[in-house]
Amino acid sequence: MSASEGVSASEGVSPPEEVSAPAQPRGRRLDIPQGGPLDGAGQPGGARTAREARAHLHIAYGPARLCADPAPYPLPEGPVPREELARLRRLHRAVPGHAAMRDHLRRTHLVALCGEPGTGRAWTGLALLAELAELTGGGVSRLGYTGPDGASGVEKGVEKTERGHGYLLELPAYQAESTAGSTAESTVEPLLDRLRAHFAEHEAFCVVLVAGGPAADRLLRGRRHAVAYRPPAAADVLDRHLTELLADYPAGLLETARATARRPELADALGLDEPRPGEAARLAGHLAAHAEGRLSDERLLEHCRSFAPHQAREWFLEAGAPGTLPAALPALRAAALRIALAVFDGSAHSVMAEAAELLAWELAVTLDPQYAPGRPLFTARPGACLATARAVHGEGVEDLGDASVPVRAVWFEGRRLAPAVLHESWDAHHNLRGPMARWLRALCDDPRPQVWVRAAVAAGVLCARDYLYGLVELALPLARTDSPVQRMAAATALAEASRAPDVRPAVNGLLHTWARGDDERERETAALAHGYGLAAGSVAASLEELGRLARADDGRTTSYSAVRLLAGAEPETVLAALTHWLRDTRRARRDLALLATLRAVTTRTSHLWGLGEVPELEPYAAWPLATALLAAHPECGPRLAELLRAALTWARSAGAAEDALVGWIRRAAGDERQLAVLWDFLPRLAQDGDEPLDAGAATRIREVLEAL
C-alpha cells in the first residue's frame, strides 16, 4: 500500500482511551512555533561551535605534578663554566643556518636570534660564541638584564667587555615590545646598532636573544643583525639527551626509554603537538628516571600533564613583569591574545583577534583607569603574533547552518594549552577575573553563535572552578539582562557548570528557585538551562522541571527545551514524557506536548544542538528532527505517530499540525532518503490510531503525496 493510500479519513474507529480522556481542548488555537527563544539567532552554526568549544576545553586532566618544575628564573650572569660548555658540545645539534649565523657573527660582531623562549635559542647562541671563542682564546659569558632602565640598562651591563670574549644577552620580551612601541630613539633597532658598534670596537662578540612578536618581526623585515631562529626537531633533542643520561647504563635501558616515549598515553598526557627543545630535554630527564625505575608509570604521566600548565604559568609570569602603562601594554596584549585563543581555539582568526583586542582594552583600563589604550592600525603579520602564543593559522570552515564558509582559522599547537591558559588565568591571578568576566559577558551578547556559544561554554567552565564568584559575576548578570542572547548564554553557562558533580546541586537549586519565582527572565533562563538535560541530574528530571514551568509559560520556551532534549541522547525518555503529558488534565502540559511535537516536525536537527554528543543523528543534521529520529531510531515511530495523530485530530492544534505535516512532506520531496523514511511512517500515522484523521487533513496530505 502506498503512503497516499494509507492516509485515509475513513480508517480507524475511536481514539485510544488514554489520549481521549481529557476533553478536546478549546480556546486559543495553537500555532506552529517559529524559531527558538532567540528568533533564530544562535541556532544556525551553533552545533559545530558548541562541539568545538567542548572539544577544546573538556580535557580530562588527571593529576599533574605542577610543583615538579620551578617557576622560570633568569639564567645566572657571568662566565659560563667549562663543564657546561663541554656538555653543550656533546648535546647541541646545529640548527638550520648555523654556519651562516657564525659567519655573520664573526663579520659584524653581533647577531640577534629571533624566536620563542624554550626553543633552544640560548644553547645555539652559546654554541656560536664558544666556536668563535676557541679561535680568539676568549671565554663565554652571560650578560644580565639590569631592570627597568630600558635600553640604557642593557648598555650599562656591557661596559666591562673583554677583547675576544663572547657574550649572550637575552632581551626580555616585555622590554623588546615596550621599547619598540615608544619613540624612535629608544627602539630595539638603534639599541642593537649601538651594541654592535660597542662589541666591534672591543673585538668581541654578542648574541642577543629576542622573543618572537611584533618587535622581532620588524627586525627581521629590516634584515639588520636579525636571524629567524628555527629550532631543532624535538625528537632529535630528546634522543640526544636520553643517550647522554643513560650512557652509563645497559643499552637495553635506552631502548626502553625510547619505546616509552612513543606510547600514545604519554603523547596524550603531554597534549602538545610537538614539545619545544627545552621541553624535550625536560622530558628526557623524566623518561630516564622512569627507565631506571625511579619513576612509576603514573608519576611519569603526572609530570607530562604538567607541561602545558607550566607553559601557561610562564606566560603569565612574563605578562606581570612590566607594571605600568604604557610600558605594560604589549605584555597585556600578549596575555589577552592567549586568553582569547583559549576561548576561541579553532575559530576564525578575525573572531579571535577582535575578542583579543576587546580583552586587551579591559585589562589596560583595569591596570590604569585613566589610560584609554588605542589600537595599532598596522601590526605585524598574524603569524608573528601567533607564534608568541604557540599558535598557528591555516584554512578552516565555519558552519552557518544551511551552508559553510571558508575562513582563516587559528589554533594552539597542543590540545592541552587552551584549558591550561584558561585555568591559569582564572585560578592564579585573581585580579584578572574582573576584566575577564566583563569581557565574557559582552561576548555573550553577540548574536553570532560563533561568538556567544564559545563565550558561554568558557563562562560555564570558569563557574565550575569557582561557583560563588562565577554566579555573581557571570551567571546572574547574564540571566537578569533584557538581552535574549545573554539569557540563553546564562542558561548554557549554568548547564556547562553543572557538569561538575560538586557544583550540580547548587545549579539545580538555583534553577529550582528561579522556576518558582516571579522574575520572568529568571524563569525563562531556568527553562532554557533544563533544555540541556544536565543541571537536574538526568533527562527525566529535566523534563519534570519543564512540566512544572509550563504553567507559567506560553509554551514557546519550554517546548523549545523539550524538543532540544528530544534531539539528545535519550529520545525515548522524552517521547514517553510527551505522550504522558497528552493524557494530563492540565492544559499547559498538553500544550507543551503538542508544541514540542510541532517543533520536532518543523525544526532542523542541527538547530537543536546541546552540550553532549549525539553521533547517531550526525548523518541527518540537515533534516527535520522528526525525520532524523525515524531514521536513526526506528523504535521511536509508534510514539511519534501517537503524538502527531493527537496534534492532527485535536481541534486546538489540528490546523497548525496539518500545515506542519504538509510542509514536512514538501521539504522531503527533494531528498529520496527523507522521502523513503516518510513513506514508511505515514501509513503508520493513519493506521495506528483508532480515530480517523480529519477528512480535510487527509485529503490535503494525499494531494501533496500524489503531486510528488
Side-chain angles (χ1 to χ4, degrees):
M1 180 177 62
S2 70
S4 60
E5 292 170 339
V7 181
S8 169
S10 62
E11 293 173 346
V13 291
S14 63
E17 182 177 348
E18 66 272 21
V19 175
S20 59
Q24 287 285 330
R26 296 180 181 179
R28 180 177 61 84
R29 291 181 178 274
L30 297 178
D31 296 321
I32 298 176
Q34 299 297 322
L38 306 184
D39 293 323
Q43 294 176 345
R48 181 189 181 97
T49 305
R51 183 169 60 250
E52 291 184 349
R54 294 194 307 270
H56 291 300
L57 294 181
H58 290 174
I59 305 295
Y61 260 92
R65 296 191 63 79
L66 298 181
C67 296
D69 303 296
Y73 54 89
L75 292 172
E77 301 177 27
V80 179
R82 292 182 178 275
E83 297 78 8
E84 184 176 343
L85 291 176
R87 183 169 182 266
L88 183 148
R89 293 187 185 96
R90 293 195 306 271
L91 293 175
H92 179 256
R93 184 178 182 85
V95 300
H98 182 90
M101 287 187 283
R102 182 189 58 218
D103 294 342
H104 180 88
L105 180 60
R106 177 190 297 153
R107 185 174 64 256
T108 67
H109 297 273
L110 183 141
V111 65
L113 298 184
C114 299
E116 292 307 306
T119 54
R121 300 171 307 160
W123 268 43
T124 294
L126 289 175
L128 292 170
L129 295 169
E131 289 179 32
L132 295 183
E134 285 183 358
L135 298 177
T136 62
V140 178
S141 296
R142 293 189 181 94
L143 290 174
Y145 180 71
T146 56
D149 294 333
S152 62
V154 175
E155 293 170 60
K156 288 178 183 177
V158 300
E159 290 177 350
K160 298 179 181 180
T161 301
E162 297 184 38
R163 191 175 304 276
H165 263 55
Y167 295 89
L168 182 73
L169 170 65
E170 181 171 5
L171 192 62
Y174 68 86
Q175 183 62 42
E177 297 302 334
S178 61
T179 57
S182 54
T183 63
E185 291 302 318
S186 60
T187 56
V188 176
E189 293 90 332
L191 169 63
L192 294 183
D193 285 340
R194 293 194 294 272
L195 288 175
R196 189 208 65 77
H198 172 85
F199 285 105
E201 179 184 352
H202 290 78
E203 297 182 7
F205 309 96
C206 181
V207 174
V208 181
L209 307 181
V210 181
D217 194 53
R218 284 190 290 272
L219 283 175
L220 292 170
R221 287 203 306 267
R223 301 288 182 184
R224 290 196 303 177
H225 319 308
V227 176
Y229 177 75
R230 289 185 291 169
D236 292 340
V237 175
L238 177 67
D239 198 69
R240 279 179 173 250
H241 278 263
L242 281 176
T243 303
E244 166 84 3
L245 291 168
L246 298 174
D248 297 331
Y249 292 85
L253 221 56
L254 177 60
E255 293 307 314
T256 297
R258 287 170 172 166
T260 303
R262 295 191 293 269
R263 284 162 47 180
E265 59 268 30
L266 186 137
D268 181 70
L270 283 172
L272 304 171
D273 290 355
E274 182 177 0
R276 286 179 169 173
E279 293 166 337
R282 198 159 86 239
L283 177 60
H286 298 322
L287 288 169
H290 176 266
E292 295 168 22
R294 295 186 287 111
L295 211 59
S296 67
D297 285 358
E298 184 52 40
R299 190 62 62 86
L300 173 63
L301 294 179
E302 289 178 14
H303 281 293
C304 290
R305 293 188 195 104
S306 74
F307 277 53
H310 183 89
Q311 173 66 93
R313 187 171 47 185
E314 284 185 340
W315 279 336
F316 286 106
L317 285 173
E318 291 172 4
T324 59
L325 294 176
L329 191 54
L332 296 184
R333 287 190 183 280
L337 175 70
R338 290 158 181 153
I339 296 171
L341 260 168
V343 175
F344 293 96
D345 195 11
S347 294
H349 177 268
S350 59
V351 171
M352 185 283 301
E354 178 62 22
E357 287 290 349
L358 294 173
L359 179 57
W361 188 89
E362 288 284 359
L363 297 179
V365 297
T366 300
L367 183 62
D368 185 353
Q370 303 302 316
Y371 186 91
R375 296 189 184 190
L377 296 178
F378 302 100
T379 56
R381 53 189 172 81
C385 294
L386 293 177
T388 66
R390 294 185 77 159
V392 293
H393 62 87
E395 295 181 358
V397 174
E398 282 288 4
D399 181 18
L400 301 181
D402 295 330
S404 296
V405 294
V407 296
R408 182 174 66 183
V410 289
W411 54 87
F412 276 119
E413 292 184 291
R415 59 191 293 266
R416 290 188 181 270
L417 288 171
V421 167
L422 200 63
H423 298 169
E424 174 70 16
S425 61
W426 191 255
D427 296 343
H429 305 277
H430 177 79
N431 288 339
L432 269 179
R433 290 184 171 192
M436 284 180 65
R438 293 192 296 273
W439 173 66
L440 287 172
R441 293 200 306 265
L443 293 176
C444 285
D445 200 25
D446 192 305
R448 295 171 295 174
Q450 293 80 10
V451 178
W452 79 257
V453 173
R454 290 271 196 165
V457 171
V461 170
L462 297 179
C463 280
R465 299 188 74 80
D466 187 341
Y467 180 72
L468 290 178
Y469 189 94
L471 174 66
V472 173
E473 297 296 331
L474 289 168
L476 292 181
L478 289 171
R480 291 170 177 170
T481 182
D482 291 330
S483 165
V485 179
Q486 287 187 311
R487 290 199 297 275
M488 176 65 91
T492 305
L494 288 169
E496 176 62 39
S498 67
R499 288 183 188 276
D502 52 346
V503 171
R504 187 180 302 129
V507 174
N508 191 33
L510 176 70
L511 299 182
H512 184 84
T513 300
W514 285 356
R516 287 150 183 78
D518 298 326
D519 191 311
E520 182 180 349
R521 297 168 301 179
E522 292 180 349
R523 287 199 307 270
E524 181 188 47
T525 304
L528 292 171
H530 283 302
Y532 292 108
L534 295 170
S538 68
V539 172
S542 296
L543 288 164
E544 185 60 32
E545 289 298 318
L546 289 175
R548 293 193 185 100
L549 280 159
R551 73 180 187 275
D553 177 72
D554 62 1
R556 186 167 184 251
T557 302
T558 49
S559 66
Y560 177 80
S561 289
V563 80
R564 174 174 259 177
L565 290 173
L566 183 58
E570 299 181 39
E572 280 284 358
T573 301
V574 181
L575 289 173
L578 295 180
T579 52
H580 177 73
W581 287 338
L582 278 181
R583 305 159 192 156
D584 202 297
T585 57
R586 289 163 287 190
R587 175 183 290 181
R589 297 203 178 196
R590 294 198 302 271
D591 285 353
L592 175 54
L594 294 170
L595 288 170
T597 302
L598 297 179
R599 283 190 183 276
V601 171
T602 58
T603 308
R604 177 180 168 135
T605 301
S606 63
H607 291 183
L608 296 166
W609 53 270
L611 294 176
E613 297 295 333
V614 191
E616 59 270 25
L617 292 183
E618 282 296 320
Y620 316 108
W623 294 9
L625 176 60
T627 320
L629 285 175
L630 291 169
H633 300 283
E635 68 277 9
C636 291
R639 288 193 186 275
L640 193 57
E642 182 181 353
L643 288 164
L644 195 50
R645 279 187 61 81
L648 285 165
T649 56
W650 288 10
R652 183 165 166 75
S653 57
E658 181 182 329
D659 290 340
L661 186 59
V662 169
W664 186 27
I665 297 170
R666 284 178 173 158
R667 277 194 298 276
D671 186 336
E672 291 186 0
R673 293 192 305 155
Q674 290 191 58
L675 273 179
V677 173
L678 290 187
W679 225 251
D680 290 339
F681 174 73
L682 290 175
R684 168 178 286 171
L685 177 63
Q687 292 172 344
D688 284 0
D690 296 324
E691 181 177 334
L693 293 178
D694 175 78
T699 300
R700 188 177 176 195
I701 295 168
R702 187 185 302 108
E703 289 173 352
V704 172
L705 290 171
E706 290 173 348
L708 296 180

